[in-house]
Amino acid sequence: MNQRILRFLLPYTLLISGISLVTTSAQANESNIVDQSNLSPTILPKIPTHSSFSKPRPRHKTFNSTSGSMNQVTSVSELRDITPTAWSYEALRSLVERYGCIAGYPDRTFRGERSLSRWEFAAGLNACLNTIERLLQENVAVLREDIEKLKRLAQEFEQELMALGARIDNLEARTAYLEDHQFSTTTKLKGDIVFNLADAFGDDINNGTGTRDLDAQTVLTSKVRLQMVTSFSGKDQLITRLTSGSIGNSFQNEIGDFEGRFSFDLPRDNNDVIIDRLHYYFPIGKNLKIFAMASLAGHHFYADTFNPGLETGGGGGGALSRFGERNPIYRLGLGGRGLAFNYRFNDIFKVAGGYMARNGNEPDLGRGLFNGNYSAFGQLEIQAADNLKFGLTYINGYDPNIRPNARRDQPNQLFLFGGTGTLPGNFQLATLGVPNRPISSNSYGIQGQWDVISELSIRAWGGYTTGRLIRLGTAEVWNYALVLALPDLGKEGGMGAIIVGAEPYMGGLNIPNRPTNFSNDTPFHVEVSYKYPLNDHISITPGLIVLTAPNQDSDNNDTVVIGALRTNFQF
């Protein structure tokens, strides 16, 4: 016999011992039935009554998607985890059917295995006291021995019942205050704030405009996100996010390409407040979910990127760099408008697909949803084991590639891979003397996650893009990474990370009269960071990013080291 079940049910069994066995005999034995005409009004102890007592509050309550309340049970058959062969069945049946003072969880279970405290038992006892008092007032026959047992139990738990009354009064007052001062009945407000102290170190940089010193200065920058999550049905989500900050585009101007950019940087650094994300998600049935993205569409919002804890969608609690968050091919088309879905077939297979257009809100020629930049995405996700999963990804895209030729003219412009990689890796060839051309691309990715133990997770990805520079030629772009993640390192909520790979770089260029100064050196990216949580809301993350062969040219560019100390506030 399970001792935890026994501990839970024993008081209730004592309370109604004999009831379940003498259902018929009790009706015949008039001497055992209370005579309501002679009933004293003080037959039961006067305990403060609160409606909240009728539903015991467990220490660890389980909530379902629509309700977090306990449900009153009218028949023991409603409890899915209690069978007629269970030793407790008759006791529960009598409590439910005779006195109606048993509550089940929203999933229609009783969970008799969990233990309870004296406070919880007092709450259940009060429910039975209230029920019997109501029955007596309605002149319903009640067994005298049950009343005697209740009187003894009420006397034993009198202090707990009185204390519960005071606690309920306090909770009701606090609830009333919160209802009067709450932000919204349908919306939750979340905040993510970053302070970042950073510098970049290196010697000569030459990206086609002449050799120069790195000339980076120590900076203190910030970013603020306020995100409102609204639900109208309990299953849908309307996400509206306000963003502002001074962080800009990291050290992009100083390094000369898009490598090493922080994951939490911004396309502008003037502290303007913008609505940078406006999404609506809703389910259809149990397995299908639809994503409508009116601003800042991104494939990572609806498809698994296999890098949890480090992929935060540009938040302040994940990887230091954009590249360290996820395979850069997920960034194709980032920033536009789009529609997407994901569908789970079973515990093993899941698919995701979507279409995004970066200039989908602009009616000009060469723009709009179907006549400008677009990205069509498909991914198959496979859960091979409880601790092992991987995904196969394909993306078809087009980009007009109409941007200023010099990288400094528009440093904040979103390029092909969303602010990661080298200039050639983003098909920006002006510094090589090649005019930018519209790009039709096909990208293929494979990524996976293996949780070796709870404190060690290995992730990896690889991406290959073949692009056609219209009326000019073709090119190939590669990227890959190996990630060693150490969840709860040093402290619960901590995260250590080592990321080694190569940001998007052009491995091959097939055009007439290919420039002699084209270089395809592998630009390795090495990133080490450690997030240490000071408490549930504040963390600090020191880290280093090392870039070898910036802009895929080791002959003309020295290694760059970026140091950062990030402080993140979340609420």
Side-chain angles (χ1 to χ4, degrees), residues 19 23 72-77 89-102 131 135:
I19 294 180
T23 302
Q72 183 63 48
V73 176
T74 58
S75 172
V76 72
S77 62
Y89 180 83
E90 288 298 327
L92 282 172
R93 185 181 64 82
S94 295
L95 273 177
V96 171
E97 296 177 3
R98 183 176 293 275
Y99 297 118
C101 52
I102 290 295
T131 298
L135 292 175

Side-chain angles (χ1 to χ4, degrees), residues 72 143 169 221-222 238 309 342 367 419 447 463 500 506 520 545 563:
Q72 183 63 48
L143 291 177
D169 289 338
T221 54
S222 63
L238 174 65
N342 61 43
R367 294 175 179 267
Q447 39 278 322
V500 179
M506 186 172 286
N520 61 354
I545 301 171

Side-chain angles (χ1 to χ4, degrees), residues 316-464:
L320 278 179
S321 72
R322 289 187 171 212
F323 177 67
E325 284 194 308
R326 57 186 176 272
N327 189 332
I329 67 171
Y330 287 98
R331 298 183 183 272
L332 290 166
L334 178 67
R337 284 82 191 152
L339 187 67
F341 76 94
N342 61 43
Y343 182 84
R344 178 171 293 282
F345 291 99
N346 48 45
D347 292 338
I348 299 176
F349 296 105
K350 181 180 179 181
V351 295
Y355 178 90
M356 304 188 319
R358 184 170 290 165
N359 306 111
N361 63 323
E362 301 177 29
D364 302 335
L365 184 66
R367 294 175 179 267
L369 288 173
F370 306 108
N371 199 26
N373 174 290
Y374 77 85
S375 174
F377 176 98
Q379 178 168 282
L380 173 64
E381 301 169 11
I382 303 172
Q383 186 81 45
D386 290 341
N387 63 339
L388 176 64
K389 61 180 180 178
F390 61 93
L392 304 173
T393 307
Y394 169 72
I395 305 174
N396 175 259
Y398 172 80
D399 192 288
N401 205 20
I402 302 173
R403 298 182 177 90
N405 289 336
R407 64 185 181 281
R408 287 175 175 268
D409 291 347
Q410 285 283 342
N412 296 327
Q413 175 67 52
L414 277 175
F415 288 80
L416 195 67
F417 288 103
T420 64
T422 67
L423 289 176
N426 283 266
F427 294 86
Q428 302 303 297
L429 305 175
T431 56
L432 301 177
V434 179
N436 290 336
R437 303 298 302 170
I439 307 159
S440 177
S441 64
N442 293 282
S443 298
Y444 309 86
I446 181 170
Q447 39 278 322
Q449 175 187 345
W450 177 31
D451 297 332
V452 183
I453 55 176
S454 59
E455 295 83 16
L456 173 62
S457 179
I458 299 174
R459 297 89 180 263
W461 69 72
Y464 169 72

Side-chain angles (χ1 to χ4, degrees), residues 220-538:
L220 176 62
T221 54
S222 63
K223 177 182 178 180
V224 177
R225 279 181 169 179
L226 297 177
Q227 181 165 286
M228 292 166 283
V229 181
T230 303
S231 182
F232 305 103
S233 67
K235 298 180 180 180
D236 62 339
Q237 284 188 332
L238 174 65
I239 298 176
T240 307
R241 189 172 70 196
L242 303 176
T243 300
S244 181
S246 64
I247 193 169
N249 53 18
S250 308
F251 296 103
Q252 177 180 314
N253 287 355
E254 287 69 32
I255 297 173
D257 66 1
F258 313 110
E259 296 177 83
R261 284 186 59 174
F262 293 125
S263 60
F264 43 89
D265 69 6
L266 290 167
R268 54 186 60 82
D269 58 3
N270 52 12
N271 281 312
D272 285 348
V273 179
I274 59 173
I275 298 178
D276 73 330
R277 183 182 177 190
L278 184 60
H279 293 180
Y280 182 59
Y281 309 151
F282 61 94
I284 298 178
K286 294 183 178 180
N287 300 327
L288 178 63
K289 193 171 185 179
I290 304 299
F291 300 76
M293 297 170 282
S295 179
L296 193 62
H299 299 306
H300 63 288
F301 288 118
Y302 62 90
D304 196 341
T305 60
F306 304 90
N307 199 19
L310 296 175
E311 157 68 276
T312 58
L320 278 179
S321 72
R322 289 187 171 212
F323 177 67
E325 284 194 308
R326 57 186 176 272
N327 189 332
I329 67 171
Y330 287 98
R331 298 183 183 272
L332 290 166
L334 178 67
R337 284 82 191 152
L339 187 67
F341 76 94
N342 61 43
Y343 182 84
R344 178 171 293 282
F345 291 99
N346 48 45
D347 292 338
I348 299 176
F349 296 105
K350 181 180 179 181
V351 295
Y355 178 90
M356 304 188 319
R358 184 170 290 165
N359 306 111
N361 63 323
E362 301 177 29
D364 302 335
L365 184 66
R367 294 175 179 267
L369 288 173
F370 306 108
N371 199 26
N373 174 290
Y374 77 85
S375 174
F377 176 98
Q379 178 168 282
L380 173 64
E381 301 169 11
I382 303 172
Q383 186 81 45
D386 290 341
N387 63 339
L388 176 64
K389 61 180 180 178
F390 61 93
L392 304 173
T393 307
Y394 169 72
I395 305 174
N396 175 259
Y398 172 80
D399 192 288
N401 205 20
I402 302 173
R403 298 182 177 90
N405 289 336
R407 64 185 181 281
R408 287 175 175 268
D409 291 347
Q410 285 283 342
N412 296 327
Q413 175 67 52
L414 277 175
F415 288 80
L416 195 67
F417 288 103
T420 64
T422 67
L423 289 176
N426 283 266
F427 294 86
Q428 302 303 297
L429 305 175
T431 56
L432 301 177
V434 179
N436 290 336
R437 303 298 302 170
I439 307 159
S440 177
S441 64
N442 293 282
S443 298
Y444 309 86
I446 181 170
Q447 39 278 322
Q449 175 187 345
W450 177 31
D451 297 332
V452 183
I453 55 176
S454 59
E455 295 83 16
L456 173 62
S457 179
I458 299 174
R459 297 89 180 263
W461 69 72
Y464 169 72
T465 298
T466 174
R468 182 167 64 92
L469 289 75
I470 296 177
R471 296 188 301 274
L472 184 61
T474 61
E476 298 176 348
V477 174
W478 295 86
N479 89 86
Y480 42 84
L482 177 66
V483 180
L484 182 66
L486 304 169
D488 296 330
L489 179 63
K491 184 179 181 180
E492 183 178 358
M495 173 67 82
I498 301 174
I499 303 167
V500 179
E503 299 196 31
Y505 70 99
M506 186 172 286
L509 177 61
N510 304 304
I511 62 174
N513 302 315
R514 192 178 84 166
T516 58
N517 59 342
F518 173 74
S519 173
N520 61 354
D521 295 333
T522 302
F524 285 111
H525 172 115
V526 180
E527 178 177 336
V528 180
S529 66
Y530 174 52
K531 182 179 79 171
Y532 180 79
L534 299 178
N535 52 44
D536 291 340
H537 302 284
I538 305 174

Side-chain angles (χ1 to χ4, degrees), residues 162-176:
M162 295 296 292
L164 278 172
R167 291 173 64 182
I168 291 297
D169 289 338
N170 182 45
L171 287 174
E172 288 177 346
R174 292 173 61 187
T175 300

